[in-house]
Amino acid sequence: MDAGKQIIDGIFAVNRRLEIPFYQRTYVWTEDQWERFKDDMEYISITRKPYFLGSVILKQAPTPSYASSARVTDTRVVIDGQQRMTTIMLFFKALYLRKNLNDYFITDFCLQDGSPKLAHGRADQEAFRKVIDIEKLDEGEQVEELEYQSNIIDAFNYFFKNINPDKLDDIAIKQFVTLIGIDIAQSEDEQQIFDTINSLGVKLTTAELLKNHLFNRDNEKDYEEYWESIFEKDPEEREWWDAEVVTGRLKRTIVDLFFDSLLQILVQNPKYGVSAEDKIAYAKVDQLFHSYQDFLAEYYTKQHDASDGNIPFLKEMSEYAKLFRQTFDPAATESSVMADDYLKRINVVIFGLKNSTLIPYILYLTKYVHDVNQRNEMLKILESYIMRRMVTRDTTKNYNRLFNSLILRGIDTSDALAEALKSGDDTTTRFPSDADLIMAFENEYKLTNLQTKGILYLMEASIRPKNSGTDILRFNAYSLEHLMPKKWRNNWDIPDTEEAQRERDRKLLTLGNLAIITQSLNASIRDAAWVRKCEGEGKEKPGLRACSTGLTTFEGVLEKDTWSEKEIGKRGERLAAEAVQVWPYPDAL
């Protein structure tokens, strides 16, 4: 890496083409920034004092074949600085047009074929060329927008309208505006350098880095067919793929979850012969892009005709991406779930209860299990396995390895899946038995509120009568409530002995005392005596009756004159018996 002070003419050197890569977002500067830039250029013109504009990171790249007509001898990829460089060019384009010196602009900022030295990405390419190709524009005129609004055109129009040519000295500006030019070699890691320099910057996603790795202006048609039509065909699709979800302790975009899942499926395919060591390395989330680079170079391309380039991977990627879009839905938590809607239920398990480790195997099933009934049976088994282990407080730390092993072994039938999951013989892999499940309902509650809400919600969705007069709401519409409050000593009768009090404290932490309700109770109602807690205090402070209407998991609870340890035990037994049916052990399927 080389870094040093540069003036504008040094950045926009003769016969140098600056490529803004595919992963870069659109030009986003707005009027406040344009006005400050204009005022600063006037200040430089008057004072002739050096002015630091920031840093520009450029990575050496091979000169593409399409650049031969422009006699390009030096090609650099713009890793950071596209906003500043775009603004410089738009400003000078407007200034030279106002001065009737467009030839100066062509000399300074265009290549020999007339194309701009700065080549924009697809999103801004049309607007940028429309502005750069203007040969003459009369004062007071504006460039018309395209079919969509573009900050590129807005910026040019702002400068053309608001600059005063008499206050601007183009020679002084090019002499005194300085930037830190950082040049990096092809072999260097631009992401690491970018993150180090931009301590407040946003880390590039795997998708953005992959897009730049797989495409350039030589294969734009491939980009349109295999990438843009899937991930970027309209704002709604871009928003869906770019949405963030919580997975464990991390927030990740949906598109990154997809690429992570795809890689795990590919590396488990025996035909690629991926070593055990590399499989471990490829499972690291923070190295996903580098894992793709390595896997494609060391394993994938060796199994395909070299003359096809990236096409085999792009075809496979796009096919999986379409299946992913059809299968996974983070918004499943925002609509009601039915007993037999197995796909939506598993989406609640994944996105509502944070079990993203299931995604690669379910994507694998979507690809290879074409019989819908068979696939539903497998989803039902997976839900039973995950939820039984959740109720019994079993660890999730082995899930990645377990579900990847199912892909490796080609488990694609419900019978094979049941046998594979039943073969686990310790707490890291076991399929809890009915006895284990029933016992867990009697034990102290040690789950998170989210997990407990998920357990009760999915049970409610399964056991409520089909002819119920009320519909189950969306997962996110419910909150968790202790029927006997933790602070029972404030308003409830106190048992005579310390042993009895300890037993009450233990019992109220079992699943028999937990319930989902449609809204959180007011604190004054939550800890109130039983009758007041049930009835509430009008519309402002509703009680359990108002917040639990129609919930089958509440059946018989609100008719009780008192709520005691005995009643908690009875409800726990009833819920345990229901859970055995909702999440059957594979022998009972």
Side-chain angles (χ1 to χ4, degrees):
M1 178 179 74
D2 295 319
K5 185 173 72 173
Q6 294 266 18
I7 60 175
I8 290 175
D9 284 344
I11 297 294
F12 294 93
V14 175
N15 294 337
R16 171 186 282 181
R17 184 180 180 89
L18 302 170
E19 296 263 4
I20 296 176
F22 275 86
Y23 64 71
Q24 290 274 10
R25 303 299 174 88
T26 58
Y27 177 72
V28 296
W29 276 22
T30 56
E31 186 167 332
D32 287 345
Q33 290 151 308
W34 305 330
E35 182 177 15
R36 179 180 173 181
F37 185 88
K38 174 184 69 70
D39 292 345
D40 288 345
M41 296 307 105
E42 289 181 358
Y43 176 79
I44 294 168
S45 299
I46 295 169
T47 65
R48 281 173 158 68
K49 291 182 177 180
Y51 174 87
F52 178 61
L53 190 57
S55 63
V56 174
I57 306 176
L58 306 176
K59 183 174 183 178
Q60 188 69 52
T63 298
S65 58
Y66 54 75
S68 59
S69 61
R71 299 186 66 181
V72 172
T73 57
D74 180 21
T75 302
R76 306 290 176 98
V77 174
V78 180
I79 305 303
D80 186 36
Q82 73 138 314
Q83 305 292 324
R84 290 182 290 277
M85 288 193 287
T86 300
T87 302
I88 288 171
M89 287 192 64
L90 295 173
F91 172 83
F92 273 100
K93 182 68 179 181
L95 176 60
Y96 283 135
L97 284 173
R98 287 291 302 272
K99 289 187 173 187
N100 293 316
L101 295 173
N102 189 54
D103 288 346
Y104 283 23
F105 178 84
I106 294 173
T107 299
D108 291 342
F109 297 101
C110 292
L111 298 165
Q112 289 196 15
D113 64 352
S115 63
K117 291 180 179 178
L118 181 64
H120 258 273
R122 289 179 56 83
D124 285 327
Q125 193 176 73
E126 183 181 6
F128 193 64
R129 283 306 302 260
K130 181 173 183 177
V131 169
I132 298 305
D133 288 345
I134 298 170
E135 296 181 358
K136 182 176 177 57
L137 195 66
D138 293 330
E139 185 176 352
E141 287 190 283
Q142 297 279 275
V143 176
E144 293 184 3
E145 290 282 4
L146 301 170
E147 295 179 357
Y148 54 89
Q149 187 269 338
S150 167
N151 278 25
I152 293 278
I153 290 177
D154 291 345
F156 171 80
N157 284 336
Y158 172 84
F159 288 134
F160 191 78
K161 176 182 178 182
N162 291 285
I163 60 176
N164 183 342
D166 296 332
K167 292 183 177 182
L168 293 165
D169 185 333
D170 56 302
I171 296 175
I173 292 170
K174 287 189 286 184
Q175 181 179 353
F176 290 104
V177 169
T178 61
L179 304 100
I180 297 298
I182 301 171
D183 294 313
I184 59 179
Q186 284 182 258
S187 59
E188 292 184 277
D189 184 349
E190 66 265 31
Q191 179 63 64
Q192 183 181 14
I193 295 169
F194 180 88
D195 290 341
T196 301
I197 294 171
N198 294 278
S199 59
L200 298 179
V202 177
K203 192 175 182 68
L204 297 174
T205 66
T206 298
E208 290 168 329
L209 292 168
L210 265 177
K211 180 164 58 170
N212 189 56
H213 180 70
L214 295 169
F215 302 105
N216 56 46
R217 286 172 174 78
D218 276 334
N219 62 353
E220 282 197 47
K221 289 186 178 179
D222 295 337
Y223 167 75
E224 292 169 359
E225 180 176 357
Y226 299 115
W227 189 285
E228 185 179 50
S229 65
I230 296 169
F231 302 115
E232 301 173 353
K233 68 179 181 181
D234 55 46
E236 183 179 350
E237 282 302 298
R238 286 195 293 270
E239 183 179 354
W240 191 88
W241 287 103
D242 288 342
E244 289 187 330
V245 296
V246 176
T247 61
R249 298 178 181 177
L250 301 175
K251 267 190 175 181
R252 302 181 67 188
T253 60
I254 297 294
V255 71
D256 267 22
L257 281 178
F258 162 68
F259 278 112
D260 190 9
S261 301
L262 174 60
L263 183 62
Q264 300 317 311
I265 292 172
L266 293 176
V267 302
Q268 300 304 328
N269 191 328
K271 80 175 183 179
Y272 295 119
V274 179
S275 69
E277 293 79 9
D278 281 342
K279 286 183 180 180
I280 293 172
Y282 295 162
K284 294 180 179 178
V285 171
D286 59 344
Q287 297 292 319
L288 186 54
F289 170 63
H290 297 295
S291 295
Y292 263 103
Q293 282 183 305
D294 192 73
F295 171 72
L296 291 174
E298 296 299 323
Y299 295 103
Y300 194 91
T301 56
K302 293 177 180 178
Q303 297 296 323
H304 299 277
D305 190 332
S307 64
D308 291 334
N310 291 323
I311 295 299
F313 172 73
L314 294 175
K315 286 182 176 179
E316 193 164 10
M317 176 204 75
S318 61
E319 183 179 354
Y320 271 107
K322 291 172 186 176
L323 293 174
F324 188 98
R325 184 68 168 94
Q326 297 165 12
T327 304
F328 299 102
D329 181 17
T333 57
E334 297 298 334
S335 59
S336 60
V337 175
M338 300 295 107
D340 57 355
D341 194 342
Y342 302 111
L343 183 56
K344 181 175 278 192
R345 291 174 68 94
I346 210 71
N347 270 286
V348 172
V349 172
I350 291 170
F351 297 107
L353 300 179
K354 319 304 181 192
N355 286 281
S356 60
T357 49
L358 278 167
I359 293 178
Y361 182 58
I362 292 175
L363 181 59
Y364 173 84
L365 296 183
T366 306
K367 171 83 159 101
Y368 292 104
V369 181
H370 302 129
D371 184 281
V372 175
N373 293 328
Q374 178 71 197
R375 193 159 66 239
N376 281 338
E377 282 299 307
M378 299 181 78
L379 294 177
K380 188 174 182 180
I381 292 171
L382 288 169
E383 182 187 330
S384 291
Y385 180 77
I386 293 292
M387 298 308 295
R388 281 189 176 229
R389 289 181 59 84
M390 188 176 293
V391 174
T392 56
R393 292 79 161 168
D394 283 332
T395 180
T396 62
K397 67 180 182 180
N398 198 45
Y399 281 1
N400 266 323
R401 183 165 37 168
L402 170 65
F403 295 124
N404 283 343
S405 75
L406 299 179
I407 299 172
L408 175 64
R409 294 156 61 189
I411 302 297
D412 58 3
T413 67
S414 58
D415 289 342
L417 177 60
E419 289 304 314
L421 295 179
K422 287 194 304 181
S423 66
D425 57 3
D426 58 31
T427 56
T428 65
T429 56
R430 69 168 185 158
F431 203 132
S433 66
D434 289 353
D436 294 326
L437 190 61
I438 292 169
M439 184 180 296
F441 274 81
E442 299 174 0
N443 293 336
E444 285 185 39
Y445 161 76
K446 295 181 181 178
L447 302 170
T448 67
N449 285 357
L450 180 67
Q451 289 172 323
T452 307
K453 184 176 84 165
I455 291 165
L456 294 171
Y457 179 81
L458 289 172
M459 288 183 63
E460 179 69 38
S462 295
I463 67 179
R464 66 192 291 105
K466 290 186 177 180
N467 60 353
S468 174
T470 57
D471 292 330
I472 189 170
L473 305 179
R474 56 192 171 86
F475 175 75
N476 286 342
Y478 292 98
S479 59
L480 193 68
E481 182 68 24
H482 288 75
L483 299 178
M484 178 184 287
K486 292 181 180 180
K487 298 180 180 179
W488 57 267
R489 289 175 175 82
N490 294 339
N491 297 297
W492 291 51
D493 66 290
I494 299 178
D496 295 333
T497 67
E498 289 188 9
E499 182 180 353
Q501 291 177 33
R502 286 195 297 270
E503 173 61 14
R504 174 173 286 186
D505 285 331
R506 187 196 73 81
K507 204 71 175 177
L508 69 83
L509 294 177
T510 63
L511 284 165
N513 191 51
L514 278 294
I516 54 171
I517 58 177
T518 55
Q519 68 181 81
S520 295
L521 299 183
N522 182 278
S524 64
I525 301 298
R526 182 180 299 118
D527 296 333
W530 177 245
V531 173
R532 181 166 169 243
K533 184 168 184 175
C534 290
E535 297 300 330
E537 295 181 356
K539 292 183 179 180
E540 297 301 318
K541 296 180 179 180
L544 289 174
R545 290 189 191 280
C547 296
S548 62
T549 302
L551 289 170
T552 306
T553 48
F554 250 103
E555 187 176 334
V557 171
L558 299 178
E559 287 73 25
K560 304 295 180 182
D561 295 329
T562 61
W563 188 250
S564 64
E565 295 88 324
K566 182 178 179 181
E567 298 299 341
I568 291 173
K570 287 181 179 179
R571 180 169 179 264
E573 291 175 4
R574 181 173 70 84
L575 290 177
E578 296 283 10
V580 168
Q581 301 301 316
V582 172
W583 299 304
Y585 193 75
D587 289 343
L589 287 171

